[in-house]
Amino acid sequence: MLNFNPGPSILPAEALEEIRRNFMSFGGMSILEISHRSKEFENVLEDAKALFVELAVIPKNYHILFLQGGASLQFAMVPMNLMEKCADYSLTGYWSKKALKEAKLFGEANIPFSSENSAFSRTPKPAEISLSQKSSYLHITSNNTIYGTQYREFPETGDIPLVADMSSDILSRKIDVSKFGLIYAGAQKNLGPAGTTVVIIRDDLLKREYRKLPTMLKYSIHAESNSLYNTPPVFAVYAMSYVLKWIKKSGGIDAIEKINREKADTLYKTIDSSNLYCGTAEKSSRSSMNVTFRLKNTALENRFLDEAKKAEMAGLKGHREIGGIRASIYNAFPLDGVKKLAEFMKEFERKI
Ligand SMILES: *Cc1c(COP(=O)(O)O)cnc(C)c1O
């Protein structure tokens, strides 16, 4: 079965095999049974961190944290920790709206850009965003998992930190981390199983303290304790380390980005050269991770999905909020599988 699930989603088969093979090799015990303060787990954690730093080219003045609560908890932790009185939120879809909702609990959240009136069909160009006075940061969603749009260029924010939810495109392309104050990503799309959220935070932001917060919700506490303030998501970090090893073995981010581009281009070309399919995102904002489209005769969409399933392709149904079709083709999704979908789409069009 070809796995187009939007998240949790496909993982590299090679990494899954390695996880299975090494699962029990912790002194006769499994990874699930050992102390998070043991030397063995310390090695797992350090391994994952070092690989992440290497692959994403994270500068020395950043901390990398493995937290819990999903990207959704970051919607709240970001304003709690970083917002003094106001912050800016670029609204490009369902997840950025959810982030905005949490920010409003802690101060004034301004909206320098919104594509809501065009059904979230695009992301802004850098020049379209002007920040409000005294803004504590600008929050963006780098890839809009549901609407199939992605920032190609990031806004220039000067001294104001840029904060990005990269849940659905982290490590899928080369990013200049030094342009960001904070990056967060739930693991279950491009990094591993559900259960951990990676936070990359610039050290100066760890000093911000604008309100009293519960200990578990402070970035500074997790940074000081190397993600071991309490029991971390042991298995999720362990599994992620194998996904990171797989990325490295595959040639690193440059190689992954090239294949991701080819995968996405294959589908967009199929869409653009057909009379049946119609992309929902503006061309300049198209995502390389989530390819969203409709059938011009929308009544045929259920049949499309049924026949796709019979042809061993699962997870193509668009998000319940907007319908349509969505092919999620994260790092681990193979080019061959994308070609199979493109062939299926052409055949379906010929047939009807
Ligand atoms: C999936 C997703 C989320 C939600 O992640 P959880 O880990 O379920 O909280 C947030 N943002 C983006 C961009 C996503 O794709």
Side-chain angles (χ1 to χ4, degrees), residues 258-316:
K258 201 162 155 255
I259 299 172
N260 283 339
R261 203 59 274 154
E262 191 178 347
K263 279 152 49 182
D265 285 349
T266 302
L267 293 182
Y268 288 123
K269 239 182 251 158
T270 307
I271 291 167
D272 291 341
S273 60
S274 101
N275 292 314
L276 177 65
Y277 308 108
C278 156
T280 59
E282 279 187 24
K283 284 188 182 172
S284 59
S285 299
R286 283 172 161 179
S287 167
S288 59
M289 295 280 99
N290 309 95
V291 177
T292 51
F293 60 95
R294 309 274 335 203
L295 272 62
K296 281 177 188 154
N297 176 358
T298 52
L300 285 171
E301 285 173 351
N302 280 336
R303 187 170 145 202
F304 178 92
L305 291 167
D306 282 347
E307 293 193 13
K309 200 163 238 166
K310 282 187 199 126
E312 305 271 293
M313 288 181 242
L316 286 165

Side-chain angles (χ1 to χ4, degrees), residues 186-243:
Q188 68 273 22
K189 279 136 193 170
N190 242 341
L191 298 176
T196 190
T197 311
V198 174
V199 173
I200 301 163
I201 181 169
R202 208 174 59 213
D203 291 348
D204 60 294
L205 297 180
L206 292 168
K207 296 194 187 90
R208 290 195 182 187
E209 200 171 339
Y210 299 125
R211 50 184 68 76
K212 283 192 176 147
L213 292 178
T215 313
M216 271 295 283
L217 300 178
K218 291 185 192 177
Y219 290 126
S220 56
I221 291 288
H222 293 290
E224 278 162 24
S225 52
N226 189 24
S227 302
L228 288 166
Y229 172 72
N230 72 325
T231 317
V234 171
F235 181 74
V237 173
Y238 172 72
M240 181 170 64
S241 73
Y242 283 100
V243 175

Side-chain angles (χ1 to χ4, degrees), residues 69-72 75 95 141 143 145 165 167-168 186 188-189:
S72 297
F75 297 163
W95 297 114
T141 312
N143 183 72
T145 325
D165 175 359
S167 293
S168 51
Q188 68 273 22
K189 279 136 193 170

Side-chain angles (χ1 to χ4, degrees), residues 25-44:
S25 51
F26 291 82
M29 290 173 256
S30 77
I31 178 70
L32 304 182
E33 300 166 294
I34 59 167
S35 168
H36 59 291
R37 309 217 179 263
S38 64
K39 186 78 200 147
E40 285 87 348
F41 184 69
E42 192 185 306
N43 291 340
V44 170

Side-chain angles (χ1 to χ4, degrees), residues 49 82 111 126 128 165 169 224 227 242 245-246 250 258 334 349:
K49 261 171 69 169
L82 304 185
I111 305 174
E128 286 180 281
D165 175 359
D169 69 348
E224 278 162 24
S227 302
Y242 283 100
K245 278 179 197 137
W246 171 82
S250 308
K258 201 162 155 255
E349 182 170 359

Side-chain angles (χ1 to χ4, degrees), residues 12 14-15 46-57 170-172 190-191 239-257 259 331-332:
E14 232 180 284
E46 288 311 316
D47 228 27
K49 261 171 69 169
L51 276 163
F52 220 110
V53 166
E54 181 186 341
L55 292 167
V57 195
I170 191 145
L171 299 186
S172 71
N190 242 341
L191 298 176
M240 181 170 64
S241 73
Y242 283 100
V243 175
L244 298 174
K245 278 179 197 137
W246 171 82
I247 296 178
K248 185 171 175 180
K249 222 177 124 194
S250 308
I253 301 300
D254 287 338
I256 290 274
E257 177 170 7
I259 299 172
N331 285 352

